[in-house]
């Protein structure tokens, strides 16, 4: 075999590269060469059967079902070829190759080559049965096929799809959108037999049946009936069904004939070695037309790997690149059913270990095949929760966990409070990841009599960080002590005052307690910083402008309106309504960042800009230079309203999410709550603003309504929102959200996020109170909204008039007297 | 050689906000000085021995100073920490004479 290196290393003269095929493989090949060949050593010539630039074949079913226009799936329009100096002979089929002279011929065109690449792809397999040439019989492979199928379907009632593989099901789904009743015929005993095992195939079958598609498995097609137009399908057992159109999707066959005719070694496809070279050292092959180490791939991932390796070798940028075969792992959505598949599920040896999980009620099915302690294949249907983890085990050949159930459920099952697994844990197992507290330390504290979560927290710090391990601490107390001692303080608003919130509020009002120190003096049993801060927040919402604001009841962040960092400096985040900014504001932010030597300028998850590393005494100057209001990124208040671009720019947007987001942020800015509150507004159910994991989310629906969601989280806890209601107008959305926010503010415990508050109250009850106004609170909630909004003052205005001595002053240096 | 004790005029009482602290550097020694709501003035190390939190940015809870970083608590008289295994803060004698705050450092 001739080493490719000799080609790559030869003195650089312009070389001519001819690619046969302008599908995904040919086009990607050209792109990769151009990208790896900055000196443009290659003249590239391409031949394509279809009279178009190339397009993304994977998206063809979208064209068929109308969710995408044919124009949208083009990868490179014809202009791309001009721009990159690629000669494209579109609609020209290569008919002859002279390997001696290194010339290809196509319908009157001759092109000589130094290097020839086969990217001829594959074609649909049409079974050798009578009737496949009748009108109304289609294959499903090209844009033209799509157009023809869609056009023909208009006059049809019954369609039959032959082939129950991925493409067949895609075709069936596409046909459904044309109001045709669809039957899918599969020869194998179950659908998608390449990706799924029998049980999985059955689950998929049930799911698609509920969608109105009729699957016929273990059924061979004998004949397509009709004179000029197809009228029916006859099966192997002699039965017939009516059909006024048929789509054949019975697999693909590599286009190897041209290569074969001109003497290249072929088996099922054109044979290539690890350098993608065919039996001719000047000719290479990539994509569905080649067979490498016995494998013929019909997916794009291997193709990307092949073209990258070959481009590296040919251009000399990676002369030793080799293609060693692909591990296949795919996640798909077939007719709305989520599906993941990796490896070959049919490849099962007697010594393999099979792990399965099935949840028939939700049509969930998971199967993993383990060989030598590693994951050799898997399929997943209906719920892809563990898919990413399985793909990692599969792709990296990682040894699978000894407890096989962790493959699917991770080690997280332990946190669900199973005493069995808690008891199993070694004492050194870290329970509280915030404070680094181990199981042993916690057990010791429990044995020493700390039998409430709070007491354990006080003694060991476990659970006092993000709080996400509190459930585990509780389970440990149960395991060690038999029961968790009833903790009366659980119902208190704050620890220092032994009263629940309604009682506390009424006491505060009757006694006229307007400052934190007054509440602690009259009602308190202790004093701690958390309680002080919680009381400050509550008193402010009760008394409004009458509130006596004692700054020592606030955390540092709330005293200086910025977030303290681990080096004693602060972060400054100006408000950016709805995540929308302007060139002028960005320039201003940039200038401020330069002027104050900001160490990091960071785009936050809440769609704004964080200036990190600001010295305390610079804060007022930074705010003044910015001239923007505080983003409240440091306190228990309304933080951000994340939005997508909605109907302003997005092709999918169904409503103006940006405008609603901005309106919400302007209305509710400065509202303080028992915990931080984050909002999101998405312009369509694609939910780009992640509204379903926000404290309050809004999603626009087709038809112009807004769905209002509450109680979501995506931090230490992850919780999907509950649906509060649907409303028709922006104003209604703003109003119902305001009512929810005030109700939450006035009824939640200190530090209780909405994701705990909403389930504690119950979404039905909340809906009754807030949407149906069952308690008659509506007007007072609305009035409270207006009162709070009117009281908003940008805290950054304290830059001009500090509220207490040294508010914005850093360390003061006092020299020692000279001796 | 015995350490020399030096009594330094630090600031006026009005410079200390009620219930809060302020940060000073006396010579090379960082010190946090507080005035509690009850009128007690006291001084401790400027930084938390845990992760170096600036204690003057903390809060007062009863007799304790609470670090702003991770809420470790230190007694205002003894400097002792509420967490096992965390060393105590050094405390510095403070006097207030005629509205002037003096601290004694070594």
């Amino acid at each position: 075999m001739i080493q490719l290196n000799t080609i790559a290393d030869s003195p650089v003269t312009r070389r001519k590269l001819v690619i046969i095929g302008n599908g995904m493989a040919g086009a990607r090949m050209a792109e990769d060469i151009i990208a790896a060949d900055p000196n443009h050593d290659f003249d590239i010539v391409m031949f394509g059967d279809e009279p178009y630039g190339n397009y993304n074949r994977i998206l063809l079913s979208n064209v068929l079902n109308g969710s995408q226009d044919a124009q949208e799936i083009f990868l490179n329009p014809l202009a791309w070829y001009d721009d990159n100096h690629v000669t494209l002979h579109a609609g020209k089929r290569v008919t002859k190759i002279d390997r001696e002279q290194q010339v290809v011929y196509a319908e009157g065109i001759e092109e000589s080559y130094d290097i020839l690449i086969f990217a001829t792809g594959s074609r649909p397999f049409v079974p050798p049965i009578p009737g496949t040439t009748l009108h109304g019989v289609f294959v499903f492979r090209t844009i033209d096929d799509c157009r023809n199928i869609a056009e023909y379907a208009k006059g049809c009632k019954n369609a039959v799809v032959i082939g129950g593989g991925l493409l067949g099901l895609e075709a069936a789904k596409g046909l459904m959108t044309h109001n045709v009743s669809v039957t899918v015929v599969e020869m194998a005993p179950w659908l998608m037999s390449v990706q799924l095992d029998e049980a999985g195939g059955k689950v998929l079958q049930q799911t698609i049946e509920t969608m109105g598609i009729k699957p016929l498995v273990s059924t061979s097609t004998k004949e397509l009936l009709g004179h000029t137009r197809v009228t029916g399908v006859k099966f192997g057992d002699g039965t017939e069904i009516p059909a006024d159109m048929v789509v054949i999707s019975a697999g693909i066959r590599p286009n190897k004939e041209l290569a074969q005719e001109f003497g290249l070694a072929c088996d099922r496809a054109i044979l290539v070695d690890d350098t993608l070279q065919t039996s001719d050292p000047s000719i290479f092959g990539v994509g569905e037309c080649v067979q490498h180490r016995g494998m013929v791939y019909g997916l794009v991932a291997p193709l990307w790997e092949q073209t990258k390796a070959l481009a590296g070798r040919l251009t000399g940028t990676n002369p030793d690149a080799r293609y060693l075969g692909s591990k296949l792992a795919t996640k798909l959505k077939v007719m709305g059913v989520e599906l993941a598949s990796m490896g070959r599920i049919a490849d099962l040896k007697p010594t393999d270990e099979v792990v399965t999980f099935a949840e028939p009620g939700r049509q969930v099915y998971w199967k993993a095949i383990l060989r030598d302690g590693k994951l050799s294949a898997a399929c997943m249907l209906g719920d892809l929760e563990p898919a990413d983890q399985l793909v990692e085990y599969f792709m990296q050949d990682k040894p699978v966990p000894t407890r096989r159930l962790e493959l699917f459920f991770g080690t997280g099952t332990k946190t669900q409070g199973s005493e069995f697994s808690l008891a199993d844990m070694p004492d050194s197992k870290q329970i509280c990841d915030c404070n680094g507290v181990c199981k042993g330390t916690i057990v010791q504290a429990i044995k020493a009599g700390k039998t409430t979560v709070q007491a354990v927290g006080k003694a060991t710090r476990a659970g006092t960080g993000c709080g996400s391990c509190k459930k585990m601490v509780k389970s440990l107390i149960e395991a060690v002590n038999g029961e968790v001692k009833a903790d009366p303080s659980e119902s208190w608003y704050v620890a220092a005052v032994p009263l629940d919130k309604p009682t506390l509020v009424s006491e505060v009002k009757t006694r006229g307690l307007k400052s934190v120190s007054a509440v602690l003096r009259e009602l308190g049993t202790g004093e701690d910083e958390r309680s002080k801060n919680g009381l400050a927040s509550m008193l402010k919402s009760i008394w409004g402008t009458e509130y006596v604001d004692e700054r020592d009841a606030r955390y540092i962040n709330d005293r200086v309106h910025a977030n303290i960092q681990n080096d004693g400096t602060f972060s400054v985040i100006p408000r950016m309504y709805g995540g929308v900014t302007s060139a002028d504001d960005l320039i201003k932010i940039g200038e401020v960042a330069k002027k104050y030597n900001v160490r990091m300028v960071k785009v936050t998850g809440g769609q704004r800009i964080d200036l990190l590393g600001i010295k305390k005494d610079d804060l007022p100057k930074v705010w003044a230079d910015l001239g923007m209001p505080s983003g409240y990124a440091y306190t228990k208040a309304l933080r951000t309203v994340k939005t997508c671009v909605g109907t302003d720019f997005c092709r999918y947007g169904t409503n103006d999410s940006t405008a609603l987001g901005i309106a919400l942020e302007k209305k509710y800015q400065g509202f303080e709550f028992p915990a931080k509150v984050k909002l999101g507004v998405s312009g369509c159910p694609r939910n780009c603003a992640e509204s379903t994991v926000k404290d309050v989310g809004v999603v626009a629906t087709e038809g112009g309504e807004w769905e209002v969601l509450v109680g979501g989280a995506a931090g230490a806890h992850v919780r999907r929102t509950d649906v509060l209601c649907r409303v028709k107008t922006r104003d209604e959305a703003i109003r119902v959200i305001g009512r929810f926010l005030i109700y939450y503010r006035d009824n939640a415990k200190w530090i209780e996020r909405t994701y705990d508050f909403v389930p504690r109250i119950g979404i039905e009850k909340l809906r009754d109170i807030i949407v149906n106004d069952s308690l008659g609170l509506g007007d007072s909630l609305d009035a409270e909204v207006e009162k709070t909004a009117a009281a908003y003052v940008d805290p950054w205005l304290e830059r001009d008039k500090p509220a207490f001595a040294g508010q914005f002053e850093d360390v003061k240096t006092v020299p020692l007297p000279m001796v | 050689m015995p350490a020399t004790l030096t009594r330094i005029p630090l600031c006026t009482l009005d410079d200390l906000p009620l219930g809060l602290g302020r940060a000073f550097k006396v010579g090379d020694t960082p010190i946090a000085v507080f005035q509690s709501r009850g009128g007690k003035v006291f001084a401790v190390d400027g930084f938390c021995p845990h992760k170096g939190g600036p204690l003057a940015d903390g809060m007062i809870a009863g007799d304790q100073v609470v670090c702003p970083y991770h809420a470790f608590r230190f007694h205002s008289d003894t400097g002792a920490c509420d967490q096992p295994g965390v060393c105590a803060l050094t405390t510095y004698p403070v006097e207030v004479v005629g509205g002037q705050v003096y601290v004694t450092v070594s």
Side-chain angles (χ1 to χ4, degrees):
Chain A
M1 195 208 303
I2 295 180
Q3 283 294 311
L4 239 179
N5 310 18
T6 55
I7 296 171
D9 292 340
S10 60
V12 177
T13 50
R14 290 194 66 76
R15 286 180 295 158
K16 191 158 158 196
L17 179 82
V18 173
I19 301 174
I20 307 178
N22 182 37
M24 295 182 77
R28 182 65 168 227
M29 190 69 242
E31 280 177 6
D32 283 358
I33 294 270
I34 289 164
D37 175 34
N39 303 325
H40 306 294
D41 292 337
F42 286 97
D43 289 325
I44 302 177
V45 176
M46 302 182 71
F47 288 90
D49 260 358
E50 293 179 64
Y52 311 112
N54 70 85
Y55 51 86
N56 188 342
R57 214 179 284 282
I58 298 166
L59 299 177
L60 273 181
S61 56
N62 290 356
V63 176
L64 180 56
N65 69 33
S67 66
Q68 278 187 302
D69 186 73
Q71 292 307 316
E72 292 176 38
I73 71 166
F74 275 92
L75 295 172
N76 298 323
L78 289 171
W80 177 88
Y81 298 86
D82 280 344
D83 294 347
N84 287 284
H85 312 291
V86 173
T87 310
L88 171 66
H89 299 299
K92 302 288 182 191
R93 178 178 283 261
V94 174
T95 51
K96 185 182 164 192
I97 301 168
D98 184 340
R99 288 170 51 196
E100 290 284 309
Q101 302 299 318
Q102 307 206 151
V103 180
V104 297
Y105 299 87
E107 303 172 36
I109 299 169
E110 267 185 56
E111 292 278 6
S112 65
Y113 65 84
D114 295 300
I115 290 170
L116 180 64
I117 299 176
F118 269 83
T120 46
S122 60
R123 63 181 180 280
F125 170 64
V126 177
I129 52 170
T132 55
T133 55
L134 289 168
H135 281 298
V137 179
F138 301 91
V139 293
F140 180 42
R141 179 70 180 167
T142 65
I143 283 199
D144 288 343
D145 293 337
C146 271
R147 290 198 180 117
N148 296 338
I149 291 171
E151 191 58 36
Y152 199 89
K154 281 178 189 161
C156 291
K157 284 196 185 115
N158 298 302
V160 171
V161 175
I162 297 179
L166 174 57
L167 209 58
L169 294 179
E170 291 280 8
K173 172 181 154 199
L175 285 166
M176 288 285 288
T177 60
H178 296 283
N179 290 322
V180 189
S181 124
V182 183
T183 305
V184 175
V185 182
E186 169 60 47
M187 220 150 57
W190 63 88
L191 299 169
M192 291 194 67
S193 54
V194 177
Q195 290 87 356
L196 298 176
D197 71 342
E198 182 167 3
K202 291 271 149 71
V203 171
L204 179 62
Q205 189 171 326
Q206 286 167 7
T207 316
I208 70 166
E209 268 172 328
T210 63
M211 296 169 152
I213 289 175
K214 192 175 173 206
L216 291 176
V217 294
S218 304
T219 306
S220 64
T221 308
K222 199 174 172 197
E223 189 180 344
L224 306 183
L225 308 169
H227 291 294
T228 51
R229 292 171 66 108
V230 68
T231 55
V233 178
K234 187 174 181 181
F235 300 120
D237 62 2
T239 57
E240 294 175 13
I241 59 168
D244 32 26
M245 71 183 294
V246 171
V247 176
I248 297 175
S249 176
I252 53 170
R253 291 292 180 269
N255 290 323
K256 62 175 177 178
E257 288 73 15
L258 181 70
Q260 209 160 21
E261 187 182 344
F262 294 96
L264 297 179
C266 292
D267 179 22
R268 285 182 294 140
I270 307 165
L271 292 172
V272 294
D273 63 16
D274 288 355
T275 69
L276 282 320
Q277 182 192 293
T278 66
S279 54
D280 180 327
S282 301
I283 304 181
F284 300 83
V286 289
E288 294 178 343
C289 67
V290 305
Q291 179 175 340
H292 171 264
R293 295 194 184 184
M295 293 291 294
V296 180
Y297 298 102
L299 290 166
V300 288
L303 167 65
W304 298 162
E305 295 173 36
Q306 291 169 357
T307 54
K308 192 175 170 211
L310 184 53
R313 291 186 79 85
L314 294 178
T315 58
T317 49
N318 187 2
D320 299 323
R322 284 175 175 271
Y323 172 71
L324 302 174
S326 295
K327 291 197 120 192
L328 294 183
T330 47
K331 278 204 248 177
L332 328 153
K333 202 166 183 182
V334 192
M335 325 207 30
V337 184
E338 304 236 46
L339 190 150
S341 151
M342 59 206 81
R344 286 185 293 165
I345 205 79
D347 173 20
L348 184 63
K349 291 184 181 172
T351 49
D352 289 346
E353 189 180 336
V354 178
V355 183
T356 55
F357 171 77
E359 203 184 324
R362 284 202 308 136
Q363 271 135 12
V364 172
Y365 176 74
W366 299 340
K367 173 176 183 171
I369 299 177
L370 312 180
R371 185 172 298 167
D372 304 325
K374 289 173 181 169
L375 183 63
S376 81
C379 66
M380 253 158 288
L381 209 64
D383 182 338
L384 302 191
E385 171 79 29
D388 291 337
Q389 176 172 324
L390 288 191
V391 168
E392 201 179 314
Y393 280 112
F394 174 74
M395 293 306 248
Q396 299 175 8
D397 255 331
K398 271 177 26 180
V400 298
T402 329
R403 301 173 75 233
R404 305 298 200 214
L405 66 88
E406 287 172 15
L407 251 184
F408 290 152
F409 303 103
T411 48
T413 44
K414 289 179 183 172
T415 65
Q416 301 307 312
S418 143
E419 288 171 30
F420 169 76
S421 51
L422 274 172
D424 268 3
M425 262 182 226
D427 277 355
S428 60
K429 167 78 185 174
Q430 188 160 300
I431 304 286
C432 174
D433 289 329
C434 292
N435 293 312
V437 188
C438 301
K439 178 189 163 192
T441 314
I442 296 172
V443 169
Q444 239 176 0
I446 298 168
K447 285 181 177 158
K450 313 289 183 197
T451 50
T452 65
V453 175
Q454 208 196 6
V456 169
K458 212 166 176 184
T460 66
R461 303 184 64 74
T464 61
C466 74
S468 62
C469 64
K470 278 185 180 170
K471 276 189 188 142
M472 275 216 276
V473 172
K474 197 171 168 197
S475 303
L476 272 175
I477 298 172
E478 280 164 357
V480 175
N481 197 49
E483 56 166 359
V484 182
K485 214 169 118 196
D487 185 352
S489 71
E490 263 183 26
S491 65
W492 303 346
Y493 173 67
V494 291
V497 184
L499 298 172
D500 61 22
K501 192 163 180 180
T503 320
L504 175 58
V505 170
S506 94
E507 283 293 322
V508 161
K509 283 184 179 167
T510 358
R511 295 175 187 229
L513 306 174
K514 294 179 182 171
S515 72
V516 172
S517 60
V519 174
L520 286 175
R521 197 171 49 239
E522 298 221 3
L523 304 170
T525 51
E527 181 183 336
D528 67 276
E529 78 292 348
R530 247 176 194 244
S531 298
K532 284 162 84 174
N533 218 43
L535 289 171
S537 162
M538 190 192 79
L539 291 175
K540 188 173 177 186
S541 66
I542 293 175
W543 296 112
T545 48
E546 289 174 63
Y547 165 57
V548 179
D549 185 0
E550 295 167 344
R551 295 303 173 100
D552 62 314
R554 299 186 185 193
Y555 287 125
I556 180 67
N557 290 0
D558 296 281
R559 301 203 296 268
V560 302
H561 318 299
N563 200 333
I564 194 165
Q565 303 297 309
N566 66 9
D567 61 351
T569 65
F570 293 85
S571 98
V572 167
I573 304 184
R575 207 166 268 301
M576 197 175 271
Y577 298 96
V580 178
T581 181
S582 67
D584 285 339
D585 278 354
L586 284 176
I587 289 168
K588 219 187 275 175
I589 290 171
E591 280 169 350
V592 168
K594 273 186 167 173
K595 181 171 170 189
Y596 295 94
N597 292 316
V598 165
R599 268 184 28 229
M600 183 186 271
V601 181
K602 174 94 176 63
V603 174
T604 73
Q607 297 187 335
R608 38 205 199 163
I609 294 175
D610 192 352
L611 305 173
L612 289 135
I614 309 270
K615 291 207 276 303
K616 199 199 266 177
D617 27 16
D618 281 340
L619 287 172
K621 292 178 256 173
V622 168
W623 298 335
D625 286 353
L626 284 171
M628 302 167 193
S630 164
Y632 277 78
Y634 43 80
T635 191
K636 314 291 178 211
L638 180 97
R639 294 279 177 94
T640 65
V641 182
K642 188 168 182 169
T643 69
C644 64
V645 293
T647 38
D648 268 5
F649 287 94
C650 180
R651 288 175 291 132
Y652 300 110
T654 60
N655 216 331
D656 195 346
S657 49
T658 325
L660 175 55
I662 291 171
L664 283 168
E665 193 162 348
K666 290 207 159 146
K667 176 107 193 189
Y668 299 121
Q669 63 183 338
F671 277 46
E672 293 183 27
F673 300 104
K676 64 184 166 189
V677 169
K678 299 175 176 179
L679 272 60
V681 185
S682 300
C684 83
R686 284 172 185 76
N687 188 22
C688 294
E690 296 159 351
S691 306
T692 47
V693 288
K694 296 285 186 261
D695 293 289
V696 178
V698 185
V699 178
T701 63
E702 190 64 58
E705 297 196 330
W706 297 103
E707 188 166 70
V708 179
L709 312 160
V710 294
H717 291 269
V718 179
R719 182 179 192 272
R720 191 190 168 93
T721 44
D722 294 314
V723 178
L724 184 65
C725 60
R726 277 192 181 205
V727 293
K728 292 206 164 20
T729 65
R730 179 198 295 182
D731 287 346
E732 282 176 274
I734 293 173
R735 184 156 158 228
V736 76
I737 288 169
R739 286 186 177 186
F740 171 79
L741 289 175
I742 294 297
Y743 189 78
Y744 163 67
R745 186 192 76 181
D746 291 349
N747 292 279
K749 288 182 275 186
W750 181 238
I751 313 295
E752 183 179 34
R753 292 283 304 267
T754 63
Y755 61 75
D756 281 329
F757 175 76
V758 170
R760 176 165 71 82
I761 304 293
I763 186 66
E764 286 81 14
K765 191 173 164 196
L766 275 174
R767 197 178 293 130
D768 261 359
I769 296 169
I770 287 157
V771 184
N772 307 328
D773 200 9
S774 61
L775 302 181
L777 293 175
D779 289 343
S780 68
L781 292 174
D782 291 343
E784 196 57 37
V785 165
E786 296 313 321
K787 194 177 113 193
T788 313
Y792 165 69
V793 180
D794 175 17
W796 285 359
L797 295 177
E798 280 182 6
R799 61 186 175 235
D800 301 325
K801 197 171 170 255
F804 59 90
Q807 184 179 12
F808 301 117
E809 283 172 46
D810 244 319
V811 181
K812 202 170 166 182
T813 303
V814 179
L816 284 171
M818 302 296 278
V819 184
Chain B
M1 199 173 94
T4 331
L5 296 179
T6 320
R7 182 168 174 270
I8 312 273
L10 203 58
C11 59
T12 68
L13 196 55
D14 291 343
D15 289 334
L16 299 178
L18 196 59
L20 288 169
R22 293 218 35 194
F24 294 90
K25 198 168 172 189
V26 181
D28 290 328
T29 313
I31 292 178
V33 183
F34 296 83
Q35 179 183 199
S36 79
R37 211 154 249 287
K40 178 178 161 188
V41 178
F42 61 92
V44 297
D45 280 337
F47 295 102
C48 179
H50 173 226
K51 297 263 165 123
L55 290 171
D57 285 339
M59 286 174 75
I60 296 176
D63 288 331
Q64 294 173 316
V65 173
V66 186
C67 175
Y69 279 5
H70 305 99
F72 280 42
R73 293 146 197 279
F74 300 90
H75 200 277
S76 57
D77 295 333
T78 61
C81 185
D82 71 328
Q83 295 300 313
V86 178
C87 59
L89 299 176
T90 306
T91 56
Y92 301 91
V94 177
E95 284 168 85
V96 184
V97 182
Q100 177 71 42
V101 180
Y102 296 88
V103 69
T104 303
V105 296
S106 53

